[in-house]
Amino acid sequence: AQKVTQAQTEISVVEKEDVTLDCVYETRDTTYYLFWYKQPPSGELVFLIRRNSFDEQNEISGRYSWNFQKSTSSFNFTITASQVVDSAVYFCALSGGFGGGKLIFGQGTELSVKP
Amino acid sequence: DTAVSQTPKYLVTQMGNDKSIKCEQNLGHDTMYWYKQDSKKFLKIMFSYNNKELIINETVPNRFSPKSPDKAHLNLHINSLELGDSAVYFCASSHGTSGGEETQYFGPGTRLLVL
């Protein structure tokens, strides 16, 4: 079965701290895709990154970085020097050949960055 | 220049009523989706359409009926609304479905409250 687990329900940090959001996935597909989305308090879902199963290179975009490790079925997201504007719910999601493009979402991690 | 738009943004209605939510995308995408986000923020796919054809139909009550008049529009009609239908409904679109590699872009969501 396809599944995404975000074990951290809520994380609270103080501004400028680094924070890592964990994501563990399960799939039997050899080709699959992993995503992170951000849902700020305003409610919309904002796409952050997509990774395919054949590309294990880490990615960095400004203060954001992602670590994909197939050996541990994890796709973790780190925010460096967090800011109050990073406060949001972050979702990890999985798609693949199993479902015609449907995204399987994790439960989400609510990040609160305090000044 | 809204990419994926939904109307209305908020919908408050009585149990038993019938209501519709409209979705439009101007990204030129072929595939559109409906997701439901419950009160615990869990996101789950309901339907997807590719070029006006139904691709995904998850275990959703028959009271929910999607309609795609063209590939830029996917509307959601809900009959005989129940309290449990209260949720945020998100529309999304992507270039295609294939093996799930296409990034899905989400609308702002429609917050439905059934009283």
Side-chain angles (χ1 to χ4, degrees):
Chain A
Q2 291 74 32
K3 188 178 176 183
V4 176
T5 302
Q6 295 178 254
Q8 305 148 308
T9 308
E10 296 178 6
I11 300 176
S12 183
V13 298
V14 176
E15 215 173 9
K16 296 186 185 175
E17 281 185 31
D18 298 348
V19 58
T20 296
L21 309 182
D22 297 333
C23 173
V24 173
Y25 62 91
E26 295 174 30
T27 181
R28 291 179 185 165
D29 288 317
T30 53
T31 302
Y32 53 88
Y33 303 85
L34 295 162
F35 301 80
W36 276 94
Y37 284 86
K38 174 182 179 180
Q39 187 173 38
S42 48
E44 70 273 25
L45 281 162
V46 179
F47 165 71
L48 295 178
I49 190 171
R50 180 187 74 201
R51 215 77 185 127
N52 74 55
S53 52
F54 298 112
D55 183 1
E56 284 192 74
Q57 275 194 335
N58 290 337
E59 176 131 355
I60 299 175
S61 175
R63 296 182 299 106
Y64 294 172
S65 62
W66 290 269
N67 180 250
F68 175 30
Q69 291 196 340
K70 285 179 79 170
S71 60
T72 55
S73 296
S74 64
F75 186 41
N76 296 338
F77 173 29
T78 297
I79 302 175
T80 304
S82 59
Q83 300 176 0
V84 173
V85 292
D86 296 327
S87 296
V89 180
Y90 291 87
F91 292 96
C92 181
L94 167 71
S95 74
F98 52 81
K102 73 176 175 183
L103 284 171
I104 305 291
F105 282 89
Q107 306 93 312
T109 297
E110 183 168 5
L111 174 65
S112 177
V113 182
K114 302 191 184 310
Chain B
D1 287 11
T2 306
V4 183
S5 59
Q6 294 178 229
T7 52
K9 191 167 182 182
Y10 299 97
L11 191 49
V12 181
T13 188
Q14 298 289 328
M15 237 174 22
N17 284 350
D18 303 340
K19 289 293 178 188
S20 290
I21 305 172
K22 294 186 176 181
C23 178
E24 176 182 1
Q25 55 93 6
N26 62 7
L27 295 168
H29 288 166
D30 296 321
T31 307
M32 297 183 73
Y33 311 79
W34 278 109
Y35 287 82
K36 179 181 180 180
Q37 185 173 44
D38 64 22
S39 57
K40 295 184 179 177
K41 296 218 176 263
F42 184 64
L43 279 153
K44 189 163 194 269
I45 190 158
M46 301 172 70
F47 303 102
S48 83
Y49 270 74
N50 179 261
N51 266 322
K52 301 194 295 176
E53 279 192 42
L54 182 65
I55 302 296
I56 295 172
N57 185 353
E58 291 289 290
T59 48
V60 176
N62 290 339
R63 300 182 294 103
F64 289 79
S65 53
K67 283 186 175 51
S68 182
D70 55 62
K71 71 176 191 177
H73 296 85
L74 180 61
N75 304 323
L76 183 64
H77 189 75
I78 315 170
N79 288 329
S80 304
L81 278 155
E82 299 177 357
L83 294 177
D85 298 333
S86 296
V88 180
Y89 292 86
F90 284 98
C91 177
S93 73
S94 67
H95 269 297
T97 55
S98 297
E101 74 269 23
E102 299 293 343
T103 297
Q104 293 179 29
Y105 294 92
F106 285 79
T110 295
R111 189 175 295 273
L112 171 65
L113 178 60
V114 182
L115 302 174

